[in-house]
Amino acid sequence: MTHVLLPVLDAFAGVRALVIGEAMLDSYLNGHSERLCREAPVPVVDVVERRDVPGGGANTAVNAAALGARVTFVSVVGADDEAERLAAALTARGIAGDGLLRDRKRYTLIKQRVLASGQILLRLDAGSRDELGAAAEAELRARVRAAWREVDAVIVSDYGYGVLTPGVIAEIAALQAAAPRVLVVDGKDLRRLAHTRPTACKPNYCEAAHLLGLTNGHGEGRVEQIAAHEAELLALTGARVAAVTLDTSGALVFETGQPPYRTYTRPSSDANATGAGDTFVSALALALASGAPTHASADLASSAATVVVGRNGTTACSAAELRVLLTAQDKVLTVDDLAALADDLHRAGKRVVFTNGCFDILHRGHITCLSRAKALGDVLIVGLNSDASVRRLKGPTRPINRAADRAQVLAALSCVDHIVEFTEDTPARLIELARPDVYVKGGDYSLATLPEAPLVASFGGEVSFLPYLDEFSTTGILARIGARSGG
């Protein structure tokens, strides 16, 4: 199956990316523990393995390279053994270690995790966190200037450990003003980077809440909490796009002049979010640099994060792994599949949402309504009019796109869980099989004019009408195309 996001993934190989930020060494000391220490009531760990992997901004660079981009990474580390280990780990993952500037006045950032039988018992952090000295800052700025000329995308990873000094940030801002690139920033305090005028920023939930002065929430309540501050978040960060990652709950994406968009992940039961933000920001930057629209870029980034959230430790998503995930996500079901799926979903206590339409030319109005529909439950099922059904409803010149193509475009949206084609003029048969808790239609309908409303009510479901976006319609798009072509 050819997935509509695969051409974007293929384009990653042509992207040249620059990653700037704190380089860290993530060191994992793995062993086993069978006794307590005599000196204190703590476990004794017999270490059998040490594993060193790039962390922080270095992990962002590794992810970008693993996804296929040609990556230049610049940072400042100490002149110590940890720096050598980090350089070796980068080189092993296809990143030139000579981008690490050695500064004898600094110590390389390191996070050491002690594990027994896979369980983290202790983390030890060390390394310089004060701002760079004048000489190191000047050299870093020179390297950023040299690399900027050769790249398509720039990712800034600011952990607040002194590498992104005001001078370095000013350098990035000047370069972006003179020669704009796709600039994606990820930082503890994104206000520091606002004047770089980034294309996109990626705070996690806690960072966004802190930036907005909000008290940390929990669960799905975080989505509504952050969504209420879209304009403020974009203004504070100076970004055109803000993607707030919600660990295993996906991401909430804001874009200037567009409705919000929600992505969803499908993590495994033992999922964790270690390093997933680095994966997300790398994939987002590469997708935007490849020319993908924001919603597709965010969905691809969310899929890449899904690959890593089920793993232990700092890790990366490769292009091959992402390709496997995308091609395996066949969301198109038969009518028989729907009946069995609905039974499973209801037995599992899932809240099922159903909507339907032609979706001939997928536009912003469709995407917004589907994203809002998904938010009303756990699983969104979309009934898709067959080609013959569209012709009966819209006329002999429609559909523009075949049902198989329309289905695959819908499948690219993470908010859509399943798609079922129907040949009738109404989706009544699918509704009977799915027995949705919520049936969603556009605001141009009412209970009085919606023929499916009594059917939904007969099994205890509810009908939800979402606001109709007048400025978006397939008919309107086709009319504008005809007017411009003189047809």
PDB file of all heavy atoms in Angstrom, residues 265-295:
ATOM      1  N   THR A 265      -0.999   9.395  19.043  1.00  0.00           N
ATOM      2  CA  THR A 265      -0.040   8.309  18.958  1.00  0.00           C
ATOM      3  C   THR A 265      -0.734   7.012  19.337  1.00  0.00           C
ATOM      4  O   THR A 265      -1.821   7.016  19.910  1.00  0.00           O
ATOM      5  CB  THR A 265       1.155   8.515  19.906  1.00  0.00           C
ATOM      6  OG1 THR A 265       0.669   8.529  21.254  1.00  0.00           O
ATOM      7  CG2 THR A 265       1.869   9.821  19.604  1.00  0.00           C
ATOM      8  N   ARG A 266      -0.084   5.909  19.011  1.00  0.00           N
ATOM      9  CA  ARG A 266      -0.591   4.588  19.403  1.00  0.00           C
ATOM     10  C   ARG A 266       0.516   3.857  20.152  1.00  0.00           C
ATOM     11  O   ARG A 266       1.120   2.929  19.638  1.00  0.00           O
ATOM     12  CB  ARG A 266      -1.032   3.800  18.176  1.00  0.00           C
ATOM     13  CG  ARG A 266      -2.273   4.397  17.520  1.00  0.00           C
ATOM     14  CD  ARG A 266      -2.608   3.687  16.229  1.00  0.00           C
ATOM     15  NE  ARG A 266      -3.877   4.132  15.693  1.00  0.00           N
ATOM     16  CZ  ARG A 266      -4.057   5.258  15.028  1.00  0.00           C
ATOM     17  NH1 ARG A 266      -3.023   6.040  14.812  1.00  0.00           N
ATOM     18  NH2 ARG A 266      -5.241   5.609  14.574  1.00  0.00           N
ATOM     19  N   PRO A 267       0.808   4.302  21.373  1.00  0.00           N
ATOM     20  CA  PRO A 267       1.914   3.707  22.116  1.00  0.00           C
ATOM     21  C   PRO A 267       1.595   2.316  22.622  1.00  0.00           C
ATOM     22  O   PRO A 267       0.437   1.943  22.757  1.00  0.00           O
ATOM     23  CB  PRO A 267       2.102   4.677  23.289  1.00  0.00           C
ATOM     24  CG  PRO A 267       0.730   5.237  23.503  1.00  0.00           C
ATOM     25  CD  PRO A 267       0.109   5.350  22.129  1.00  0.00           C
ATOM     26  N   SER A 268       2.648   1.566  22.899  1.00  0.00           N
ATOM     27  CA  SER A 268       2.462   0.259  23.509  1.00  0.00           C
ATOM     28  C   SER A 268       2.175   0.435  24.997  1.00  0.00           C
ATOM     29  O   SER A 268       2.297   1.526  25.549  1.00  0.00           O
ATOM     30  CB  SER A 268       3.722  -0.588  23.324  1.00  0.00           C
ATOM     31  OG  SER A 268       4.827   0.029  23.955  1.00  0.00           O
ATOM     32  N   SER A 269       1.821  -0.667  25.649  1.00  0.00           N
ATOM     33  CA  SER A 269       1.405  -0.580  27.049  1.00  0.00           C
ATOM     34  C   SER A 269       2.526  -0.140  27.971  1.00  0.00           C
ATOM     35  O   SER A 269       2.282   0.398  29.038  1.00  0.00           O
ATOM     36  CB  SER A 269       0.864  -1.936  27.509  1.00  0.00           C
ATOM     37  OG  SER A 269       1.857  -2.938  27.360  1.00  0.00           O
ATOM     38  N   ASP A 270       3.791  -0.389  27.551  1.00  0.00           N
ATOM     39  CA  ASP A 270       4.921  -0.011  28.403  1.00  0.00           C
ATOM     40  C   ASP A 270       5.610   1.242  27.882  1.00  0.00           C
ATOM     41  O   ASP A 270       6.796   1.446  28.059  1.00  0.00           O
ATOM     42  CB  ASP A 270       5.928  -1.164  28.502  1.00  0.00           C
ATOM     43  CG  ASP A 270       6.478  -1.561  27.135  1.00  0.00           C
ATOM     44  OD1 ASP A 270       5.894  -1.128  26.127  1.00  0.00           O
ATOM     45  OD2 ASP A 270       7.480  -2.309  27.094  1.00  0.00           O
ATOM     46  N   ALA A 271       4.804   2.109  27.243  1.00  0.00           N
ATOM     47  CA  ALA A 271       5.380   3.275  26.581  1.00  0.00           C
ATOM     48  C   ALA A 271       6.003   4.240  27.571  1.00  0.00           C
ATOM     49  O   ALA A 271       5.573   4.390  28.702  1.00  0.00           O
ATOM     50  CB  ALA A 271       4.293   3.998  25.791  1.00  0.00           C
ATOM     51  N   ASN A 272       7.063   4.895  27.106  1.00  0.00           N
ATOM     52  CA  ASN A 272       7.629   6.017  27.852  1.00  0.00           C
ATOM     53  C   ASN A 272       8.039   7.063  26.843  1.00  0.00           C
ATOM     54  O   ASN A 272       8.172   6.789  25.661  1.00  0.00           O
ATOM     55  CB  ASN A 272       8.828   5.573  28.697  1.00  0.00           C
ATOM     56  CG  ASN A 272      10.013   5.171  27.843  1.00  0.00           C
ATOM     57  OD1 ASN A 272      10.756   6.028  27.382  1.00  0.00           O
ATOM     58  ND2 ASN A 272      10.196   3.881  27.611  1.00  0.00           N
ATOM     59  N   ALA A 273       8.220   8.281  27.298  1.00  0.00           N
ATOM     60  CA  ALA A 273       8.451   9.391  26.376  1.00  0.00           C
ATOM     61  C   ALA A 273       9.900   9.840  26.324  1.00  0.00           C
ATOM     62  O   ALA A 273      10.200  10.907  25.815  1.00  0.00           O
ATOM     63  CB  ALA A 273       7.561  10.573  26.770  1.00  0.00           C
ATOM     64  N   THR A 274      10.845   9.029  26.834  1.00  0.00           N
ATOM     65  CA  THR A 274      12.243   9.433  26.843  1.00  0.00           C
ATOM     66  C   THR A 274      12.750   9.633  25.427  1.00  0.00           C
ATOM     67  O   THR A 274      12.748   8.704  24.621  1.00  0.00           O
ATOM     68  CB  THR A 274      13.112   8.360  27.543  1.00  0.00           C
ATOM     69  OG1 THR A 274      12.615   8.158  28.853  1.00  0.00           O
ATOM     70  CG2 THR A 274      14.555   8.805  27.596  1.00  0.00           C
ATOM     71  N   GLY A 275      13.203  10.857  25.115  1.00  0.00           N
ATOM     72  CA  GLY A 275      13.747  11.139  23.791  1.00  0.00           C
ATOM     73  C   GLY A 275      12.719  11.316  22.700  1.00  0.00           C
ATOM     74  O   GLY A 275      13.071  11.654  21.568  1.00  0.00           O
ATOM     75  N   ALA A 276      11.435  11.092  22.997  1.00  0.00           N
ATOM     76  CA  ALA A 276      10.413  11.203  21.957  1.00  0.00           C
ATOM     77  C   ALA A 276      10.286  12.632  21.443  1.00  0.00           C
ATOM     78  O   ALA A 276       9.978  12.854  20.275  1.00  0.00           O
ATOM     79  CB  ALA A 276       9.066  10.710  22.491  1.00  0.00           C
ATOM     80  N   GLY A 277      10.537  13.616  22.322  1.00  0.00           N
ATOM     81  CA  GLY A 277      10.476  15.005  21.880  1.00  0.00           C
ATOM     82  C   GLY A 277      11.550  15.317  20.851  1.00  0.00           C
ATOM     83  O   GLY A 277      11.312  16.066  19.892  1.00  0.00           O
ATOM     84  N   ASP A 278      12.744  14.736  21.010  1.00  0.00           N
ATOM     85  CA  ASP A 278      13.812  14.923  20.028  1.00  0.00           C
ATOM     86  C   ASP A 278      13.406  14.322  18.687  1.00  0.00           C
ATOM     87  O   ASP A 278      13.675  14.886  17.626  1.00  0.00           O
ATOM     88  CB  ASP A 278      15.102  14.263  20.519  1.00  0.00           C
ATOM     89  CG  ASP A 278      15.604  14.849  21.832  1.00  0.00           C
ATOM     90  OD1 ASP A 278      15.366  16.039  22.074  1.00  0.00           O
ATOM     91  OD2 ASP A 278      16.224  14.101  22.601  1.00  0.00           O
ATOM     92  N   THR A 279      12.780  13.159  18.745  1.00  0.00           N
ATOM     93  CA  THR A 279      12.307  12.511  17.520  1.00  0.00           C
ATOM     94  C   THR A 279      11.248  13.362  16.849  1.00  0.00           C
ATOM     95  O   THR A 279      11.279  13.580  15.630  1.00  0.00           O
ATOM     96  CB  THR A 279      11.733  11.118  17.850  1.00  0.00           C
ATOM     97  OG1 THR A 279      12.719  10.345  18.529  1.00  0.00           O
ATOM     98  CG2 THR A 279      11.308  10.398  16.593  1.00  0.00           C
ATOM     99  N   PHE A 280      10.300  13.851  17.636  1.00  0.00           N
ATOM    100  CA  PHE A 280       9.203  14.656  17.089  1.00  0.00           C
ATOM    101  C   PHE A 280       9.730  15.907  16.399  1.00  0.00           C
ATOM    102  O   PHE A 280       9.356  16.216  15.260  1.00  0.00           O
ATOM    103  CB  PHE A 280       8.230  15.032  18.207  1.00  0.00           C
ATOM    104  CG  PHE A 280       6.980  15.726  17.729  1.00  0.00           C
ATOM    105  CD1 PHE A 280       5.798  15.019  17.600  1.00  0.00           C
ATOM    106  CD2 PHE A 280       6.982  17.081  17.419  1.00  0.00           C
ATOM    107  CE1 PHE A 280       4.636  15.649  17.162  1.00  0.00           C
ATOM    108  CE2 PHE A 280       5.830  17.718  16.974  1.00  0.00           C
ATOM    109  CZ  PHE A 280       4.646  16.996  16.856  1.00  0.00           C
ATOM    110  N   VAL A 281      10.605  16.643  17.081  1.00  0.00           N
ATOM    111  CA  VAL A 281      11.064  17.911  16.522  1.00  0.00           C
ATOM    112  C   VAL A 281      11.905  17.676  15.269  1.00  0.00           C
ATOM    113  O   VAL A 281      11.849  18.466  14.309  1.00  0.00           O
ATOM    114  CB  VAL A 281      11.833  18.733  17.582  1.00  0.00           C
ATOM    115  CG1 VAL A 281      13.227  18.190  17.843  1.00  0.00           C
ATOM    116  CG2 VAL A 281      11.893  20.204  17.190  1.00  0.00           C
ATOM    117  N   SER A 282      12.670  16.598  15.218  1.00  0.00           N
ATOM    118  CA  SER A 282      13.468  16.296  14.037  1.00  0.00           C
ATOM    119  C   SER A 282      12.572  16.006  12.841  1.00  0.00           C
ATOM    120  O   SER A 282      12.755  16.560  11.750  1.00  0.00           O
ATOM    121  CB  SER A 282      14.377  15.095  14.301  1.00  0.00           C
ATOM    122  OG  SER A 282      15.267  15.351  15.362  1.00  0.00           O
ATOM    123  N   ALA A 283      11.589  15.128  13.039  1.00  0.00           N
ATOM    124  CA  ALA A 283      10.692  14.776  11.946  1.00  0.00           C
ATOM    125  C   ALA A 283       9.856  15.969  11.499  1.00  0.00           C
ATOM    126  O   ALA A 283       9.610  16.162  10.299  1.00  0.00           O
ATOM    127  CB  ALA A 283       9.788  13.619  12.370  1.00  0.00           C
ATOM    128  N   LEU A 284       9.412  16.786  12.456  1.00  0.00           N
ATOM    129  CA  LEU A 284       8.632  17.974  12.111  1.00  0.00           C
ATOM    130  C   LEU A 284       9.441  18.911  11.234  1.00  0.00           C
ATOM    131  O   LEU A 284       8.961  19.407  10.201  1.00  0.00           O
ATOM    132  CB  LEU A 284       8.192  18.687  13.388  1.00  0.00           C
ATOM    133  CG  LEU A 284       7.380  19.972  13.200  1.00  0.00           C
ATOM    134  CD1 LEU A 284       6.025  19.663  12.596  1.00  0.00           C
ATOM    135  CD2 LEU A 284       7.207  20.707  14.535  1.00  0.00           C
ATOM    136  N   ALA A 285      10.685  19.176  11.609  1.00  0.00           N
ATOM    137  CA  ALA A 285      11.527  20.089  10.843  1.00  0.00           C
ATOM    138  C   ALA A 285      11.787  19.551   9.443  1.00  0.00           C
ATOM    139  O   ALA A 285      11.716  20.297   8.446  1.00  0.00           O
ATOM    140  CB  ALA A 285      12.845  20.315  11.582  1.00  0.00           C
ATOM    141  N   LEU A 286      12.089  18.268   9.330  1.00  0.00           N
ATOM    142  CA  LEU A 286      12.379  17.698   8.020  1.00  0.00           C
ATOM    143  C   LEU A 286      11.147  17.690   7.128  1.00  0.00           C
ATOM    144  O   LEU A 286      11.241  17.940   5.919  1.00  0.00           O
ATOM    145  CB  LEU A 286      12.918  16.275   8.178  1.00  0.00           C
ATOM    146  CG  LEU A 286      14.224  16.115   8.962  1.00  0.00           C
ATOM    147  CD1 LEU A 286      14.702  14.667   8.917  1.00  0.00           C
ATOM    148  CD2 LEU A 286      15.309  17.045   8.430  1.00  0.00           C
ATOM    149  N   ALA A 287       9.975  17.415   7.710  1.00  0.00           N
ATOM    150  CA  ALA A 287       8.749  17.413   6.913  1.00  0.00           C
ATOM    151  C   ALA A 287       8.411  18.814   6.407  1.00  0.00           C
ATOM    152  O   ALA A 287       8.041  19.001   5.247  1.00  0.00           O
ATOM    153  CB  ALA A 287       7.599  16.848   7.742  1.00  0.00           C
ATOM    154  N   LEU A 288       8.542  19.807   7.289  1.00  0.00           N
ATOM    155  CA  LEU A 288       8.287  21.185   6.860  1.00  0.00           C
ATOM    156  C   LEU A 288       9.284  21.611   5.783  1.00  0.00           C
ATOM    157  O   LEU A 288       8.927  22.281   4.811  1.00  0.00           O
ATOM    158  CB  LEU A 288       8.360  22.130   8.059  1.00  0.00           C
ATOM    159  CG  LEU A 288       7.239  21.998   9.095  1.00  0.00           C
ATOM    160  CD1 LEU A 288       7.546  22.850  10.321  1.00  0.00           C
ATOM    161  CD2 LEU A 288       5.891  22.386   8.499  1.00  0.00           C
ATOM    162  N   ALA A 289      10.540  21.210   5.934  1.00  0.00           N
ATOM    163  CA  ALA A 289      11.558  21.545   4.935  1.00  0.00           C
ATOM    164  C   ALA A 289      11.312  20.832   3.619  1.00  0.00           C
ATOM    165  O   ALA A 289      11.760  21.295   2.562  1.00  0.00           O
ATOM    166  CB  ALA A 289      12.947  21.206   5.468  1.00  0.00           C
ATOM    167  N   SER A 290      10.594  19.712   3.671  1.00  0.00           N
ATOM    168  CA  SER A 290      10.268  18.960   2.456  1.00  0.00           C
ATOM    169  C   SER A 290       9.041  19.521   1.759  1.00  0.00           C
ATOM    170  O   SER A 290       8.636  19.004   0.714  1.00  0.00           O
ATOM    171  CB  SER A 290      10.040  17.482   2.798  1.00  0.00           C
ATOM    172  OG  SER A 290      11.204  16.899   3.344  1.00  0.00           O
ATOM    173  N   GLY A 291       8.426  20.553   2.332  1.00  0.00           N
ATOM    174  CA  GLY A 291       7.277  21.194   1.708  1.00  0.00           C
ATOM    175  C   GLY A 291       5.932  20.622   2.107  1.00  0.00           C
ATOM    176  O   GLY A 291       4.910  20.982   1.521  1.00  0.00           O
ATOM    177  N   ALA A 292       5.898  19.742   3.097  1.00  0.00           N
ATOM    178  CA  ALA A 292       4.629  19.152   3.526  1.00  0.00           C
ATOM    179  C   ALA A 292       3.798  20.184   4.278  1.00  0.00           C
ATOM    180  O   ALA A 292       4.347  21.039   4.982  1.00  0.00           O
ATOM    181  CB  ALA A 292       4.879  17.936   4.412  1.00  0.00           C
ATOM    182  N   PRO A 293       2.468  20.122   4.164  1.00  0.00           N
ATOM    183  CA  PRO A 293       1.635  21.024   4.954  1.00  0.00           C
ATOM    184  C   PRO A 293       1.785  20.727   6.441  1.00  0.00           C
ATOM    185  O   PRO A 293       2.230  19.639   6.836  1.00  0.00           O
ATOM    186  CB  PRO A 293       0.213  20.731   4.456  1.00  0.00           C
ATOM    187  CG  PRO A 293       0.295  19.388   3.823  1.00  0.00           C
ATOM    188  CD  PRO A 293       1.681  19.250   3.283  1.00  0.00           C
ATOM    189  N   THR A 294       1.385  21.683   7.255  1.00  0.00           N
ATOM    190  CA  THR A 294       1.621  21.561   8.694  1.00  0.00           C
ATOM    191  C   THR A 294       0.966  20.335   9.292  1.00  0.00           C
ATOM    192  O   THR A 294       1.574  19.604  10.084  1.00  0.00           O
ATOM    193  CB  THR A 294       1.121  22.827   9.410  1.00  0.00           C
ATOM    194  OG1 THR A 294       1.837  23.956   8.904  1.00  0.00           O
ATOM    195  CG2 THR A 294       1.350  22.732  10.908  1.00  0.00           C
ATOM    196  N   HIS A 295      -0.292  20.070   8.948  1.00  0.00           N
ATOM    197  CA  HIS A 295      -0.972  18.924   9.559  1.00  0.00           C
ATOM    198  C   HIS A 295      -0.299  17.618   9.184  1.00  0.00           C
ATOM    199  O   HIS A 295      -0.161  16.717  10.021  1.00  0.00           O
ATOM    200  CB  HIS A 295      -2.455  18.910   9.181  1.00  0.00           C
ATOM    201  CG  HIS A 295      -2.738  18.480   7.777  1.00  0.00           C
ATOM    202  ND1 HIS A 295      -2.775  19.362   6.718  1.00  0.00           N
ATOM    203  CD2 HIS A 295      -2.978  17.255   7.256  1.00  0.00           C
ATOM    204  CE1 HIS A 295      -3.034  18.711   5.610  1.00  0.00           C
ATOM    205  NE2 HIS A 295      -3.158  17.426   5.892  1.00  0.00           N
TER     206      HIS A 295
END
